[in-house]
Every structure is written in structure tokens, then in C-alpha cells.
Amino acid sequence: MPNTMMRLQQVSSQVAATVSDAATTAATKPVSHPSMQAAHPLTLVPGPVEFTDEVLQAMATPSESHVSTQFVHVFADALALLRQLFFNTNTAAQPFAIAGAGTLGWDFVAANLIEPGEDVLVLTTGFFADSLADCITVYGGVPTQLRAPLGDIVPFDAIEAALKEKKYKAVTITHVDTSTGVLSDVPAISALVRRVSPETLVIVDGVCSVGVEEIRFDDWDLDLVLTAPQKAIGVPAGLSIFIASGRALEAVRTRKAPCTSYYASIPKWLPVMQAYESRKAAYFSTPPVQNIHALRASLEQILATPLEGRFAAHAHTSNRIKAAIADMGLKQVAVREGARAHGMTAVYLPENITPAQFLPLVAAKNIVLAGGLHKDIATKYFRIGHMGVSAIGEARDDFDQALAAIKDALDALKA
């Protein structure tokens, strides 16, 4: 395993360096859609995505005290809008937005909901579930990984058998694993857990799904959904966002041992989030003021129209891209129809073509795509992100450009 990971890191570094060189050259070319932004290559990876002008303008908010009346109202608005994004009206639950990365959400889960020695069933559909299992281990939890075949989902009968065999404190689901593009059926899995082991917490890693895939927190009886802003929410990285149910918060309150993290501590952050949402200042650690301004700006844009339309628009773009990829004779990593993400696509390259050859040619056309990430196939595929404004923004031709660049690069390499 160490040698494999070292090779993966070496390949990723080589591809990143080559793409960076090509993208730097391409950065002098203008993007072909209306924007106030400086000319730059189109970033069409599975996060970070392209951002709207309004979000970047909000990110440039002048210095402001984190306990000022003005900011308190901005933060309260953002938290209220997060409830809408998650289809949450049950006030026993609480949304959180904390300075950090999406990965910090794993620490919140492992340090607060899982006590040392407790068992966790990790449904593994790619690289990121492996990493979540590692995080649980760091905090003393005991993960059992149910692995799906590469590119597929974990079979429901295997999940049911595992839940009947042993008592698990929590089940974790990677809604979309960014390494494979596999989409897990969260409502069906949650219903299965509630039927077989109703006291088991249902935890969803929604980093690559929130804002593009439907997530109904209350209706699906979920306990924690974590995400990050730089994907379909369309905000620069810098926040760890999650929502925890009343059942999850009670599990934290009734722990036998204290939370095992100082910063990633729900007991420390919960009263802060509750205070801000009720439009009162509170303090544990300084919130990222500008990121919160940008989060509110993006959520206002997202929620200006019904979310169902947003999900349908992403599905339309996803179907278009997947059909074009198939027309080029390329296959997806995600093998099952109906279990493919709508915000990204992982695509196998033709035999004898590597990401190190392919990605720089695409980058030279002003398009930045992502290399492979899954350790078993890292040198065989690439990933394209299609979420947020690039996927559903009006008067944009991002994916006309991207698909043309992909075809041109493949033709050049086959010649």
C-alpha cells in the first residue's frame, strides 16, 4: 500500500505540474462567456468550480468585525439558507459553517459522534470513503468497510447483512465519491438502516453532492450531512459545512467520554451557531467573515428558484456530457445506470493514452480537467466536473469548449 500510494502521488504531481504549465500559458486567453472576472482557464474539475461574479464580489467584502451587527445578520441569513438547501425545517437540527475544509467534517464526525472503540460501518465506493475510514481510526473508532466493486455501489443485501451481524454506532455513506463518480442511493440506504438498526446514526459525506443532488435531510431521516462550499454550492474553499440532527446532537451530549478534538468540537461550536442563527454574536474561534458573505450570496442565488429545477438542470447537463463521451467511444468509471453522479463524470481514456499525455493538450485549449484519483486506476482515467454556474448558467458555452477540447486532444494522441 505505501508503494502504491507513493506511485499515485508521483503520477498526480507530474500531471498537476504539466497541466499547470499549460494552463498558465492559456490564462492569457479570455473565457468566452460574459464575466467581470480576469481572463483565466475554465476550471471544470469536480471542485473547485467556476464562481459567479456576485460571489467573488461578496468575497471581497471589506474588513468587518465578526461580532458586528452587520455580520451577525449575514451569518444568520446564511445559516437559515442552509436549512433550505438541506430541506430542513425541524429546529432540533442545527446547521454549522466553520472555517476549515470539507475534510474537517470528517473530524467533526469522528471526534463527536463516535466514541473510542465504537463500530462504524463505512460504505466504500472509492478513495474518499477510504479516507473517512482512516479519520475514524485516528479518533479511536473502529471502521468496518463494505467495499463496492470498482465503479459500482455497495449491494443493499450486504448492507442489511452487516447491520444484522453487529451493532454499529453509525453508517457512513459517500453520496458521490469524487474518485469514481458513483452516486449512492441515500434515501434507500437510510430507510434500510432505520428498518434494521433504527438507533444507528446515518452520516452522509455530501462534499460532491450538496447543491447538485437532491438531499432531503428531514424526510430521509438523516443524522449528519457534511459538505464543502467549493463544489456545487459555488463558493471559494475555506468552510466546513454540515447539518446535524437532534438525534446526533443528543448522541454528542450523552457521550461517556469528552469530545476528542478541541477545534472540531460540537459542544464548543453548537452554542455559537445557535447564537448567530438567533442574530446574536458569540465566540469560540473567529469565523471567516468574507467566506460567510460569499456563502450567503451564493445561497441566495441558488434558492432564488426552486431546487427541483436546479437538480433537473444539472441532470440535463450531465446527460448531455455523458452522451457525448459515449459518442467518442469512451467509457465511464461508474458502471451502473442510475448510480452515476450528475455533477461530475469519471472517464476511462483509450488504452495507451495516459492523463499525463491527455490533460496538457486539453489545458492548452483553456480547459482544466482533473486526473484520476482512485489508486487502482489513477493512470487510466480523467474526471470532468459539471456543477454550478458552468453547468446551468445562462449564456455559457463552457462544455461546448470542453467537449471540443477533449475530442481534439484524443484525435491528436491517436494520430
Side-chain angles (χ1 to χ4, degrees):
M1 177 68 76
N3 289 338
T4 301
M5 290 305 295
M6 186 175 297
R7 288 196 298 272
L8 176 56
Q9 290 167 356
Q10 290 170 344
V11 168
S12 298
S13 297
Q14 291 167 359
V15 171
T18 309
V19 172
S20 178
D21 291 343
T24 299
T25 300
T28 59
K29 303 176 183 177
V31 292
S32 65
H33 53 79
S35 176
M36 297 172 61
Q37 299 169 35
H40 63 283
L42 283 172
T43 303
L44 302 180
V45 302
V49 301
E50 290 287 317
F51 307 120
T52 66
D53 292 345
E54 293 81 4
V55 166
L56 293 183
Q57 288 164 2
M59 196 73 181
T61 298
S63 182
E64 182 178 59
S65 169
H66 56 287
V67 294
S68 68
T69 300
Q70 296 92 326
F71 178 68
V72 168
H73 288 295
V74 171
F75 208 162
D77 290 346
L79 292 169
L81 291 166
L82 282 174
R83 287 189 186 273
Q84 294 182 45
L85 183 67
F86 287 112
F87 289 95
N88 162 246
T89 58
N90 184 345
T91 56
Q94 179 61 49
F96 294 72
I98 295 166
T103 306
L104 180 62
W106 295 343
D107 289 77
F108 272 101
V109 167
N112 292 273
L113 299 183
I114 314 301
E115 297 201 47
E118 289 186 325
D119 290 302
V120 182
L121 185 63
V122 178
L123 307 185
T124 302
T125 51
F127 173 88
F128 287 93
D130 286 338
S131 299
L132 173 53
D134 287 344
C135 182
I136 291 168
T137 301
V138 166
Y139 287 94
V142 182
T144 296
Q145 290 186 259
L146 270 184
R147 293 187 179 278
L150 179 58
D152 208 345
I153 58 173
V154 179
F156 284 6
D157 57 354
I159 300 172
E160 182 167 356
L163 290 170
K164 288 179 176 177
E165 182 179 341
K166 183 191 294 187
K167 180 64 64 180
Y168 288 98
K169 177 66 174 290
V171 170
T172 70
I173 310 163
T174 306
H175 197 184
V176 170
D177 196 293
T178 321
S179 70
T180 59
V182 171
L183 173 68
S184 293
D185 190 339
V186 171
I189 295 170
S190 181
L192 171 60
V193 174
R194 295 292 170 236
R195 176 172 59 82
V196 178
S197 182
E199 67 281 6
T200 296
L201 300 174
V202 178
I203 297 164
V204 177
D205 179 340
V207 168
C208 199
S209 68
V210 172
V212 58
E213 309 288 356
E214 183 177 37
I215 298 180
R216 294 183 177 270
F217 188 79
D218 293 357
D219 291 348
W220 297 354
D221 203 8
L222 306 177
D223 289 302
L224 190 142
V225 178
L226 64 94
T227 192
Q230 72 273 12
K231 296 181 185 276
I233 293 178
V235 175
L239 289 170
S240 176
I241 298 169
F242 63 95
I243 183 168
S245 70
R247 183 168 44 222
L249 296 176
E250 180 64 11
V252 175
R253 190 187 69 78
T254 57
R255 283 177 62 98
K256 298 180 181 66
C259 168
T260 51
S261 173
Y262 184 75
Y263 183 75
S265 167
I266 286 179
K268 288 184 172 65
W269 280 111
L270 178 60
V272 175
M273 295 298 120
Q274 291 173 330
Y276 273 109
E277 194 170 8
S278 63
R279 301 186 185 274
K280 299 175 184 176
Y283 178 76
F284 167 54
S285 178
T286 305
V289 171
Q290 282 67 34
N291 296 71
I292 299 296
H293 272 276
L295 176 63
R296 182 180 71 166
S298 185
L299 290 174
E300 286 176 340
Q301 290 181 325
I302 290 171
L303 294 163
T305 57
L307 283 169
E308 290 82 0
R310 180 181 180 84
F311 302 145
H314 276 99
H316 176 78
T317 298
S318 176
N319 291 339
R320 176 198 166 199
I321 291 168
K322 288 172 170 59
I325 290 296
D327 288 344
M328 295 181 202
L330 303 176
K331 293 184 178 180
Q332 296 180 51
V333 174
V335 298
R336 187 183 296 266
E337 194 72 35
R340 291 168 173 165
H342 298 106
M344 63 158 292
T345 306
V347 185
Y348 282 113
L349 285 162
E351 196 170 344
N352 301 321
I353 295 178
T354 68
Q357 297 169 310
F358 168 75
L359 292 175
L361 296 182
V362 176
K365 296 292 183 71
N366 211 33
I367 305 293
V368 179
L369 305 179
L373 188 58
H374 194 289
K375 64 181 183 299
D376 293 339
I377 54 171
T379 61
K380 297 180 180 180
Y381 77 111
F382 70 97
R383 295 171 298 143
I384 180 170
H386 36 86
M387 61 188 93
V389 67
S390 288
I392 62 175
E394 295 181 0
R396 296 184 71 113
D397 63 351
D398 296 20
F399 292 102
D400 291 333
Q401 295 183 60
L403 292 170
I406 290 169
K407 186 178 185 306
D408 288 348
L410 293 174
D411 288 346
L413 290 167
K414 291 175 182 176

